[in-house]
Amino acid sequence: MRSVAASGSASGLVTVLFALAILGGPASPVPGQEGSPAVTFASPDGSRAMESTERLSVVLPPGTEDRTVRVLFSVDGRRVCVAEAAPFECSWDFGGDGRARVIRAVAELDDETRLVARVHTPMRMSIRFRTSVERVMVPAVVTDREGRYLAGLPVERFVVFEDGAPQEISYFEAPADRSQLDLAIAIDISGSMAPVMPGLKTSVKALLASLRPDDVVTLLAFNQRTFLLSRQEPDRAHLASLIDDLQPSGLTSLYDAIVRALDALDESNPRKAVLAFTDGEDRSSFRSPESVEQRVLDTGAPLYVVTLGPNSETDAIVETVGHLATVSGGQVFRADEPDELDRALAVFRDNVSNAYFLGYSPVDAASQEAEPVERFRQIRVRIRNSDGYQVRARAGYRR
Amino acid sequence: MVLPRRSTLAAAALATFAAAPSAFSEPVEGTHLFAIEVVGTPEGLLGAAGVRTRDATNAELVLDVIEHVHFLSRSPAGVEFYADTVAAFLNEWRRARRRDGTVSLEAAQDDSRAHDRLEEFLEAAGYLLLGNSGRLFVRPDPDSDAKARREALSAAGFPTADLDTRMNEGEAIAIEPRSFGIPSPLPADVWRDAVLADPEPGERLAFRLLTDRQAAFLYYGLLSMTPETVQFLAGNPRLLRELYERDAAGIAAYGRSLVVVNGRVRTPGGGAASILWQREVGEPIDRPGEFFKAVLRHDNGPFPFLYDAIASLDAPQQRFALGVGLEDRRQRRAFSRLYDVIAANLVFSPGTPWPRGFPDPSVLLSQVRADDSGQPSGPAWEDLWEAALDGIELPQNASRDVQRADRSDPIEASRLAERVFQEPPWAAARMAAFLLAQRRFTDVETRDLRHVLNTLRGFPLFQSLVSTLDRMGVQSPRTYATAVLHAASLNRMGEPEDARDALSQFQGAVALLDRVRHVRSLPEAAAADLAASAAAVRLHETRGYEGRMAGWVARELLPALGADPPDGDPEGGNFTDPAVTPGVGDAPAPWERIVLRALAGALEDEGWGQRVTTTWEGFSYVADLRGATLTRLLEAREAQAGASLDTALDLWAVADALAAGPETVAAVQGLVERLRSVATALPAREGPVGPVIVSHYLGRVYSDLERIRGPDDISRRAPEAAGRLLRLSDAVLGDVLRALVYAAYIGDPRSGVLGSGDLSVRHDFGLEVADADPLRATAWRYPEARTLPDRPWYAEGALLGLDFATADLRLQQIMTDRPPEAAPLASYERDGLAASVALFNPFERTQAEIDEIAEAVGAGRRRLDELAESPGDALAVAAAAGLGGFRRSLFAWIASRDPDRLGDWLSVRELLWLGLQEAGADNGDSGRAAERLAGWGAYAGRIDGCLCLRLAPPQMRWENWRGRAGSGLVAALAADLTLWVGEGLAVRGLPVSLSGPILEVAMRHMLDRVRPTHVQDWSTVLRYPSTLGEADFEDYVSSLTGTDFLRPGGDPTPSAQGAGGRVQRIR
């Protein structure tokens, strides 16, 4: 059994959209460039509100394409991507809030000329209806008594419980049917990472090379701040060059980075995961572990963390982050020695490759609507007729 | 062949290197400097010295090399290896080359002599000459030294990287040695003959100057001297040699202050002080050589430091420091005492020019305001300062301690320094207290001296409080003293929880007053009056405020902000702008809304408060500082999810009514109903006033009240219930005020800082560590951001001055897709630079100010352009820009050799001063301009303790703070980015209200990008804004177009000025 439609995690909202062009305007060249050839936006054109992933592209003036070194795109003043080769375009996830946006592109030519284009997109007027049906997605990895992966179990063997009540599985994706993986990799670039960084770069690039061609990777680097280096990027060579450029400095804000990584995942794709690398305890996050746990539970993506060391903080990290990983259905790996890193990544790869995805609509969803207080709802996955099978799955969600 | 480390062969090779003449005895045109050639390239030299980054064409590269070789790594080995490699290579090349000037394999194939010479040449280049079946070929030598030689030669500009390939392909190799000139204060022959007494030829000289520690120090010091002084020394070869041998480190550090004019020493303090100096030095000023040696050798440390420190002061400060005007014996005694204080507090390493400690008495002397006669301004009476600097506890009887103090003489500089530095841990705070008195108590009346004393004694203990009142513009000593005494009572509260609630209320109240004054919602005088009344609210040392601070909020603060008191109709507040910001949940409750609007700034007919239209890149925008600030506040409060001010006041109103004694049981029941209603609005989030605490208090209150069944029960039970409810009301109000202060200073809530809720609940006054902090000093210290393992971000310290702790959070990152390279700025410098943005007040800046800045900076640039035509004016122009010492010399060098670079080489602040001087502004009185444009200055609190910005006058140079790396002092001078933003707005016709938000973006970008070459390389930091371009400014402005600071809309008025446009006011 395989369902076609896949909603997000526990959110379960259907949004009806009405675009209302209030502030939008067509893309136009910038005054002051009158003497220069004009660059204009091909997409978006300013006629509608931006939501979810949209393509950003420009039309370069005749004769400038070969001279264009790169095009910088920014949304609401924040640079979101840099296109360094024709056709000079990229994608960006605008999220779902439907705000009016100011989108700007700067084409930098080889003579240091900058051609600027700008487009305003309108605000979306939205009316949201809460649906009576929602689907909860549960990634699950099953191993036998010896720790071997069991990848061929049929849906009939699975039983999902929510707060002890069995649920009807309405979505099932076996490892063999594996769809595109949306993987967010967050790399600690704090100053203390310097000794392990060369080895880490090599291993992460090897991991990227081993993913399926249609898998996409969101790459983040973090110290006390988080940098979104790429989003849903399929180009391995580009990712590798971004990794090569990383330089260690600063402190460690692991929790903030985890949340940012979760935010960057595609909500509509059930097969997603976060893989974080760090060597030290969180020292500068704004997020508390509790708020991160809530976000992890909301997202439903398994969290994997690799601790690099050894150092005096490894035990503490494993303890604090281990809980987050466990409730998400993920895992923490210790890589105290360099060769353990590749072993950890091999296990991670196996976990991802052998994961099932189960979806169900809670039988008491209607009553959930009526509950005024949000609370944790425990999920348990059991395998029928199993002989000591182990299941690692999302521990629950809050609603 | 093993290459010698310092081969005579190498020297000989350089001796015969004919690319340049051996010496230059004439100065470079338009300067007093001589050019000395260095073989190789600037990049190669910098790399050999380990200088990480630097524009290799910069005139300061020699100083960078000296800094690295002698101050940082303390090893010349890299440069020596580079020099020896280059020299040996050139020597072997000269021996191996044929008549046509080339070397090749073919020529060596059948000629054993040519073969040997080629082999040696290749070895010097890091290659091996090998043979195979009678055929010669070249291969890179795998030896690590050989590899290093290849790299050094490539860096030196020799085409040797692919020597093997080219020769193996049969190419005949020609070598064209490269060289470049460096500025020298002495001609090459003087260095060679007089200083070094070394027969080595001129081309070797440059490397010798860089690698010989004494020569490097002497070079450094001579470059800092005036041309006349250097000329005097150059004419005294024996003296030069002596200075080289014995005094080089002293010359490097203090050479700038050794000045010869007309053959005599010009001593610090002018003619009136020359007798004193001659007496102390023991040499007459008409024998400069002997005088200088005596200064430098006086005690091998403190004396030349003192001489140099006084020379760096302005004239009035010099008179104060030297006691000019004092009776002779008293002056000598004072000088001796000043010397002792300097000696006792100087961090100093014999034989090296630097480092220095911080603070030291010279910093105090440099900040004191004195009149032309040398008398310090403000309340300078010695008896007052003897009392003020006596201990760190508040005086028992302030009136008695200052009785007749105003009849005493002004305190002498030496005594002031002695008292300030008698307890080093408190020295910075005492220094700040003295400067506060100079700022605020200039015209103090005798009857207020006791208040002044209480304030000054309380300053070290309650610095954040006193400084906040100072920032608010409070003038009255009584207000300061009342606040200090109130703070002392808060410190006497026993239970940490009670102290936290009370501190949150008092500090929160003062912080809010500070903010509403800052954004001009309240005039200075009104804010000062309210601060005085808040400090007068009665505090019980065990029961706290018992609702009295809530009463102050309701009866004094809210009416002052334009609201009717809460006793009236809560919907009847004086709202004139009912708009609810789109996208921000429900409108806040009425009283809170009044406070938030006040925190966002006043509506004004003129100035920043206007919403104005402007055009940018062809679109019309509304620039709305107030609206954007209000949006941030509303979003922050929503994310905090705490109680509202209205809830806190409602709770207090019930408690107050209960405490007043309801007359009937029905009235009590009515209050219970009100309380239950209020309680539903109390948030369930965790924090100091979390659900457990709330339900604990409320449960007991309900229990008390439910037992009131008859009139007799009221008098017995109501007071107890009221007491509990007042405690809860205090706690909730403290929570709310603390959260409001955080909302005001947290910056952009959308940046993610409020991702896990309310940061204010994490605020730590440091009350839990009684043993470590018996004075509860932490609770009154400027707050700092803390990052500890596994504890999320929090601020520790006072609530006052929270803008410091959140300064970094407020900087906005526009490049989120690439991490910056490692930032080498010391944390103090980073914090100081961020603090300058935090303290910048766009609400007070005016269009006239940016017009003046743009005009002056533009005039400065034009003067530089003119200088290209007349480089002989360079020293005068440098002086007008405020340059001194070696920077003045280098300026002249660049003006002569590379005038196009001058614009980048000066900082924006220097361009401003140059322009103002050119325009004859204020008759050359830089102090007036510095005061007028102070709001565009930099945070100098590390020096003066003030929560304010200062535009450093031209004579305040970073060289004055040299040796104090990591002290944060550079930030005190770094007004350049702020000025750059002001200039940029003016020339593009953009509204001044954008200055603050643009700075938030520009400073983050600067901190991510600026790359000083070493910890002392402050000039790169200060000059960074000069290197920014049009594209940077465009990016910064454009980053605001997605925010409410520059909202799309308004009347699309076409721009008359390119990308910008004149502002148009919206009514």
Side-chain angles (χ1 to χ4, degrees):
Chain A
M1 180 181 72
R2 175 167 179 163
S3 170
V4 176
S7 74
S9 57
S11 60
L13 293 176
V14 171
T15 304
V16 180
L17 309 173
F18 298 94
L20 182 65
I22 301 171
L23 296 169
S28 69
V30 171
Q33 289 182 186
E34 288 84 354
S36 308
V39 58
T40 53
F41 264 97
S43 173
D45 61 7
S47 63
R48 61 181 179 80
M50 295 289 98
E51 58 182 331
S52 67
T53 303
E54 301 272 1
R55 190 170 65 93
L56 306 177
S57 68
V58 291
V59 177
L60 294 165
T64 60
E65 196 157 302
D66 291 344
R67 295 172 46 215
T68 301
V69 178
R70 57 183 188 164
V71 177
L72 314 166
F73 292 96
S74 62
V75 175
D76 291 344
R78 302 290 181 267
R79 197 164 80 191
V80 297
C81 64
V82 181
E84 294 181 323
F88 298 109
E89 61 181 36
C90 64
S91 297
W92 183 250
D93 186 351
F94 286 84
D97 62 9
R99 279 190 290 147
R101 302 287 193 171
V102 179
I103 307 171
R104 185 170 180 257
V106 180
E108 294 184 346
L109 306 190
D110 54 8
D111 61 357
E112 300 189 356
T113 302
R114 284 162 54 100
L115 303 177
V116 181
R118 165 163 299 195
V119 60
H120 293 181
T121 63
M123 184 165 68
R124 183 197 68 205
M125 193 164 106
S126 65
I127 302 172
R128 288 169 176 249
F129 297 101
R130 187 179 289 280
T131 61
S132 58
V133 180
E134 73 170 30
R135 177 176 290 145
V136 178
M137 298 302 300
V138 185
V141 176
V142 186
T143 52
D144 66 12
R145 203 185 280 275
E146 277 73 44
R148 289 175 299 218
Y149 293 97
L150 298 168
L153 300 173
V155 64
E156 293 76 17
R157 296 286 299 277
F158 288 85
V159 187
V160 178
F161 298 90
E162 181 177 307
D163 287 344
Q167 306 290 321
E168 183 184 344
I169 297 172
S170 58
Y171 178 87
F172 179 74
E173 184 182 302
D177 303 326
R178 175 171 163 349
S179 55
Q180 180 190 57
L181 171 67
D182 184 10
L183 172 63
I185 298 178
I187 299 177
D188 183 351
I189 55 166
S190 61
S192 57
M193 286 286 289
V196 296
M197 189 56 90
L200 177 61
K201 287 179 177 179
T202 305
S203 296
V204 174
K205 286 187 286 185
L207 172 70
L208 293 175
S210 71
L211 296 175
R212 282 187 1 184
D214 62 332
D215 291 340
V216 290
V217 174
T218 293
L219 186 63
L220 304 98
F222 66 96
N223 45 27
Q224 65 271 34
R225 287 186 277 159
T226 305
F227 303 90
L228 185 57
L229 308 182
S230 75
R231 197 159 187 182
Q232 273 93 36
E233 175 63 58
D235 183 345
R236 303 292 186 265
H238 179 57
L239 289 165
S241 74
L242 293 173
I243 289 169
D244 283 336
D245 288 344
L246 296 178
Q247 299 288 335
S249 74
L251 302 172
T252 303
S253 290
L254 175 63
Y255 296 140
D256 290 351
I258 290 173
V259 170
R260 189 81 188 277
L262 291 166
D263 288 345
L265 293 172
D266 181 358
E267 266 189 55
S268 64
N269 185 350
R271 188 175 283 273
K272 55 198 170 192
V274 170
L275 173 62
F277 299 88
T278 187
D279 75 327
E281 282 186 87
D282 194 300
R283 286 178 185 274
S284 48
S285 275
F286 293 101
R287 302 268 177 180
S288 61
E290 296 75 28
S291 70
V292 180
E293 181 179 342
Q294 171 128 359
R295 191 74 188 90
V296 165
L297 291 171
D298 285 349
T299 310
L303 168 66
Y304 294 88
V305 179
V306 182
T307 67
L308 301 152
N311 64 43
S312 58
E313 296 180 352
T314 306
D315 290 341
I317 312 166
V318 170
E319 188 179 328
T320 52
V321 183
H323 173 69
L324 294 175
T326 302
V327 298
S328 76
Q331 203 172 344
V332 172
F333 305 104
R334 287 183 68 140
D336 290 355
E337 301 299 329
D339 60 333
E340 291 173 325
L341 174 58
D342 289 330
R343 284 207 293 275
L345 292 182
V347 175
F348 164 77
R349 206 166 41 237
D350 289 342
N351 272 337
V352 167
S353 304
N354 291 289
Y356 296 86
F357 280 83
L358 314 167
Y360 69 91
S361 301
V363 290
D364 63 343
S367 64
Q368 282 186 19
E369 297 293 321
E371 286 188 44
V373 179
E374 188 179 78
R375 66 174 177 82
F376 178 72
R377 296 163 197 279
Q378 187 187 50
I379 297 173
R380 191 164 62 86
V381 178
R382 192 169 68 79
I383 308 298
R384 287 194 174 97
N385 307 321
S386 72
D387 181 17
Y389 290 179
Q390 300 290 314
V391 181
R392 191 165 55 250
R394 180 183 182 185
Y397 65 99
R398 293 187 74 87
R399 180 67 196 276
Chain B
M1 184 184 82
V2 176
L3 289 171
R5 294 272 312 146
R6 275 181 164 278
S7 71
T8 51
L9 215 54
L14 284 171
T16 54
F17 170 48
S22 63
F24 296 80
S25 53
E26 293 298 318
V28 171
E29 185 187 357
T31 81
H32 59 291
L33 301 169
F34 302 85
I36 292 182
E37 292 294 306
V38 185
V39 182
T41 62
E43 294 84 356
L45 178 61
L46 290 168
V51 181
R52 194 166 35 81
T53 57
R54 169 69 90 174
D55 179 350
T57 61
N58 199 297
E60 278 164 298
L61 72 93
V62 182
L63 302 186
D64 286 338
V65 170
I66 292 173
E67 189 89 36
H68 270 73
V69 167
H70 299 293
F71 303 155
L72 298 176
S73 71
R74 294 177 174 268
S75 167
V79 177
E80 283 177 355
F81 177 82
Y82 176 80
D84 287 347
T85 300
V86 168
F89 173 78
L90 284 174
N91 175 60
E92 298 301 340
W93 169 68
R94 291 182 58 81
R95 279 162 40 86
R97 68 181 173 176
R98 295 177 304 189
R99 285 187 179 174
D100 66 353
T102 65
V103 293
S104 68
L105 291 179
E106 184 186 0
Q109 191 70 42
D110 302 314
D111 181 339
S112 62
R113 182 184 165 90
H115 177 281
D116 291 348
R117 287 185 174 175
L118 179 62
E119 185 175 28
E120 286 167 0
F121 161 73
L122 288 170
E123 186 175 352
Y127 291 89
L128 297 173
L129 179 62
L130 302 171
N132 184 11
S133 306
R135 185 170 164 273
L136 294 175
F137 67 95
V138 182
R139 202 178 70 184
D141 186 343
D143 179 75
S144 60
D145 269 4
K147 185 174 177 231
R149 287 200 294 279
R150 290 197 296 276
E151 289 171 354
L153 291 170
S154 284
F158 296 108
T160 55
D162 54 354
L163 202 58
D164 50 338
T165 308
R166 291 165 58 201
M167 292 191 77
N168 291 337
E169 288 174 352
E171 187 179 338
I173 304 295
I175 303 290
E176 290 292 336
R178 293 171 62 180
S179 67
F180 61 98
I182 59 171
S184 167
L186 298 174
D189 52 356
V190 175
W191 281 112
R192 184 185 61 216
D193 301 334
V195 178
L196 302 171
D198 186 338
E200 286 192 45
E203 286 71 29
R204 180 73 199 178
L205 178 62
F207 291 122
R208 179 75 190 273
L209 293 181
L210 296 172
T211 55
D212 180 322
R213 188 175 173 79
Q214 300 296 101
F217 286 167
L218 187 62
Y219 171 93
Y220 199 99
L222 293 175
L223 208 55
S224 304
M225 291 178 166
T226 64
E228 186 178 346
T229 308
V230 176
Q231 201 171 13
F232 166 80
L233 294 175
N236 291 271
R238 287 181 59 188
L239 173 61
L240 264 182
R241 176 71 185 171
E242 255 191 279
L243 294 175
Y244 163 72
E245 287 179 332
R246 291 189 56 184
D247 306 302
I251 289 284
Y254 313 119
R256 63 180 184 154
S257 300
L258 304 177
V259 182
V260 174
V261 178
N262 296 326
R264 294 156 65 93
V265 178
R266 193 180 68 195
T267 51
S274 69
I275 294 172
L276 171 70
W277 284 116
Q278 291 181 90
R279 193 170 54 217
E280 295 297 329
V281 172
E283 292 288 347
I285 58 172
D286 55 5
R287 295 178 62 199
E290 299 310 309
F291 189 93
F292 290 167
K293 285 189 291 184
V295 167
L296 296 172
R297 296 171 192 173
H298 192 284
D299 58 4
N300 202 26
F303 190 86
F305 177 87
L306 176 62
Y307 187 90
D308 178 66
I310 293 177
S312 305
L313 304 176
D314 64 28
Q317 289 169 334
Q318 287 178 334
R319 290 187 199 106
F320 172 59
L322 293 170
V324 172
L326 292 178
E327 176 268 324
D328 186 57
R329 277 180 55 192
R330 197 169 158 192
Q331 187 189 28
R332 290 181 68 171
R333 197 170 57 239
F335 186 88
S336 171
R337 184 161 57 191
L338 184 60
Y339 170 83
D340 289 343
V341 181
I342 291 279
N345 289 280
L346 182 62
V347 173
F348 148 84
S349 308
T352 61
W354 296 284
R356 302 270 179 268
F358 178 83
D360 66 58
S362 72
V363 178
L364 169 66
L365 297 176
S366 73
Q367 300 303 307
V368 168
R369 295 182 194 188
D371 62 22
D372 288 344
S373 69
Q375 295 296 318
S377 59
W381 301 291
E382 181 170 12
D383 287 357
L384 171 67
W385 287 104
E386 290 292 346
L389 300 173
D390 183 25
I392 52 164
E393 70 289 351
L394 293 181
Q396 297 290 324
N397 187 336
S399 299
R400 185 195 61 206
D401 291 351
V402 293
Q403 215 168 22
R404 303 163 71 91
D406 56 340
R407 297 183 190 175
S408 60
D409 287 339
I411 191 165
E412 293 169 9
S414 59
R415 182 60 180 159
L416 177 65
E418 187 176 60
R419 295 295 267 159
V420 165
F421 283 86
Q422 67 190 351
E423 290 168 283
W426 298 101
R430 285 178 163 163
M431 195 164 84
F434 183 83
L435 299 174
L436 169 85
Q438 290 208 307
R439 269 196 309 279
R440 290 293 171 205
F441 304 146
T442 311
D443 301 318
V444 65
E445 295 184 21
T446 305
R447 67 169 184 273
D448 284 336
L449 280 181
R450 62 197 167 102
H451 300 313
V452 170
L453 180 61
N454 273 324
T455 305
L456 298 175
R457 285 279 285 272
F459 189 95
L461 293 171
F462 308 109
Q463 186 168 357
S464 67
L465 174 62
V466 178
S467 294
T468 299
L469 297 174
D470 176 31
R471 169 159 72 169
M472 289 169 62
V474 173
Q475 300 280 356
S476 161
R478 176 191 288 271
T479 302
Y480 283 96
T482 308
V484 162
L485 295 172
H486 192 97
S489 340
L490 281 163
N491 270 9
R492 288 193 288 272
M493 293 192 74
E495 292 300 318
E497 292 79 11
D498 296 337
R500 180 202 61 217
D501 293 342
L503 282 166
S504 295
Q505 291 176 82
F506 179 65
Q507 292 192 1
V510 176
L512 289 183
L513 288 174
D514 179 33
R515 171 73 186 185
V516 293
R517 199 280 318 156
H518 182 84
V519 300
R520 299 172 61 184
S521 294
L522 267 187
E524 232 170 57
D529 288 348
L530 283 168
S533 66
V537 172
R538 195 158 58 81
L539 173 76
H540 191 284
E541 289 179 9
T542 56
R543 298 197 300 269
Y545 288 111
E546 297 178 298
R548 285 182 286 272
M549 191 58 81
W552 175 85
V553 170
R555 296 182 184 119
E556 302 205 37
L557 177 64
L558 287 174
L561 298 180
D564 295 333
D567 317 78
D569 175 11
E571 295 298 333
N574 293 348
F575 299 129
T576 53
D577 181 3
V580 176
T581 303
V584 185
D586 297 332
W591 307 125
E592 168 134 341
R593 209 184 322 167
I594 286 169
V595 171
L596 292 180
R597 288 183 189 285
L599 290 171
L603 283 171
E604 294 186 356
D605 287 340
E606 300 293 337
W608 62 268
Q610 311 161 53
R611 278 181 289 163
V612 294
T613 57
T614 189
T615 52
W616 180 251
E617 295 184 338
F619 287 91
S620 181
Y621 292 93
V622 176
D624 186 1
L625 177 62
R626 180 178 184 271
T629 307
L630 184 58
T631 301
R632 281 186 172 184
L633 283 161
L634 291 165
E635 289 181 348
R637 289 293 286 148
E638 188 180 28
Q640 286 174 333
S644 73
L645 181 62
D646 296 59
T647 302
L649 293 182
D650 287 347
L651 197 60
W652 160 73
V654 174
D656 199 44
L658 204 54
E663 292 180 355
T664 63
V665 174
V668 172
Q669 286 167 347
L671 289 174
V672 170
E673 288 308 307
R674 266 181 75 185
L675 181 58
R676 289 192 190 283
S677 167
V678 172
T680 59
L682 287 170
R685 63 130 157 84
E686 293 301 325
V689 193
V692 176
I693 300 287
V694 169
S695 61
H696 167 77
Y697 273 98
L698 286 181
R700 296 193 62 181
V701 170
Y702 291 139
S703 168
D704 284 341
L705 296 181
E706 280 162 5
R707 279 188 272 168
I708 296 177
R709 296 195 172 87
D712 293 345
D713 296 331
I714 295 177
S715 58
R716 203 168 64 245
R717 299 198 182 278
E720 201 172 336
R724 290 200 177 95
L725 205 49
L726 285 170
R727 293 283 281 274
L728 180 62
S729 154
D730 276 2
V732 172
L733 181 65
D735 219 29
V736 169
L737 294 181
R738 205 173 53 240
L740 283 167
V741 176
Y742 266 77
Y745 289 118
I746 206 67
D748 183 1
R750 295 179 193 173
S751 66
V753 295
L754 294 175
S756 61
D758 185 359
L759 297 180
S760 78
V761 301
R762 303 179 189 168
H763 190 89
D764 190 343
F765 287 106
L767 299 169
E768 307 292 341
V769 287
D771 293 344
D773 186 14
L775 296 175
R776 285 195 171 160
T778 306
W780 298 97
R781 201 175 285 148
Y782 291 137
E784 290 181 39
R786 293 281 185 219
T787 51
L788 294 175
D790 235 26
R791 181 172 172 183
W793 184 100
Y794 71 101
E796 182 184 82
L799 205 49
L800 299 159
L802 186 68
D803 26 354
F804 276 101
T806 60
D808 190 67
L809 310 187
R810 293 168 67 181
L811 303 183
Q812 298 296 311
Q813 185 181 344
I814 53 173
M815 307 299 178
T816 57
D817 59 343
R818 296 287 183 278
E821 292 173 32
L825 278 183
S827 60
Y828 267 133
E829 313 297 2
R830 293 178 66 85
D831 292 349
L833 291 168
S836 290
V837 178
L839 296 181
F840 181 81
N841 188 356
F843 296 88
E844 287 189 333
R845 305 284 57 86
T846 67
Q847 210 73 27
E849 289 172 350
I850 59 174
D851 287 344
E852 181 178 6
I853 290 167
E855 198 169 312
V857 174
R861 291 206 172 93
R862 287 193 295 277
R863 184 67 186 94
L864 295 184
D865 291 342
E866 292 162 11
L867 195 56
E869 305 301 319
S870 55
D873 298 343
L875 287 178
V877 171
L883 305 188
F886 70 85
R887 292 203 70 221
R888 189 157 45 190
S889 297
L890 293 181
F891 180 87
W893 171 265
I894 299 169
S896 171
R897 310 259 297 200
D898 199 3
D900 289 346
R901 294 187 55 86
L902 285 176
D904 291 355
W905 199 76
L906 290 189
S907 72
V908 181
R909 183 175 69 100
E910 289 163 342
L911 285 170
L912 176 90
W913 287 123
L914 174 59
L916 289 172
Q917 291 282 324
E918 281 294 309
D922 307 310
N923 294 319
D925 179 359
S926 59
R928 291 173 62 184
E931 203 164 309
R932 193 168 58 246
L933 297 174
W936 295 88
Y939 168 63
R942 288 275 298 159
I943 300 171
D944 62 12
C946 181
L947 273 179
C948 55
L949 300 181
R950 287 173 59 186
L951 181 60
Q955 68 272 16
M956 192 184 285
R957 306 174 185 121
W958 63 261
E959 302 97 288
N960 295 356
W961 309 123
R962 193 161 183 83
R964 298 176 172 100
S967 62
L969 293 177
V970 65
L973 305 175
D976 309 285
L977 189 65
T978 318
L979 293 168
W980 180 80
V981 169
E983 183 203 8
L985 289 172
V987 299
R988 291 168 182 82
L990 291 167
V992 69
S993 62
L994 297 179
S995 52
I998 288 180
L999 258 182
E1000 290 178 357
V1001 174
M1003 183 58 82
R1004 166 65 72 209
H1005 207 203
M1006 173 173 167
L1007 293 178
D1008 283 349
R1009 292 206 306 188
V1010 66
R1011 293 285 171 268
T1013 60
H1014 50 78
V1015 291
Q1016 297 265 23
D1017 180 16
W1018 292 353
S1019 82
T1020 295
V1021 178
L1022 297 173
R1023 292 201 315 245
Y1024 168 83
S1026 298
T1027 66
L1028 294 173
E1030 184 78 14
D1032 294 300
F1033 201 92
E1034 284 177 12
D1035 285 345
Y1036 301 156
V1037 176
S1038 296
S1039 75
L1040 304 182
T1041 56
T1043 72
D1044 282 357
F1045 289 109
L1046 204 53
R1047 200 170 52 232
D1051 178 28
T1053 307
S1055 163
Q1057 299 187 30
R1062 277 288 160 194
V1063 299
Q1064 180 187 3
R1065 197 166 64 192
I1066 295 175
R1067 286 289 183 184

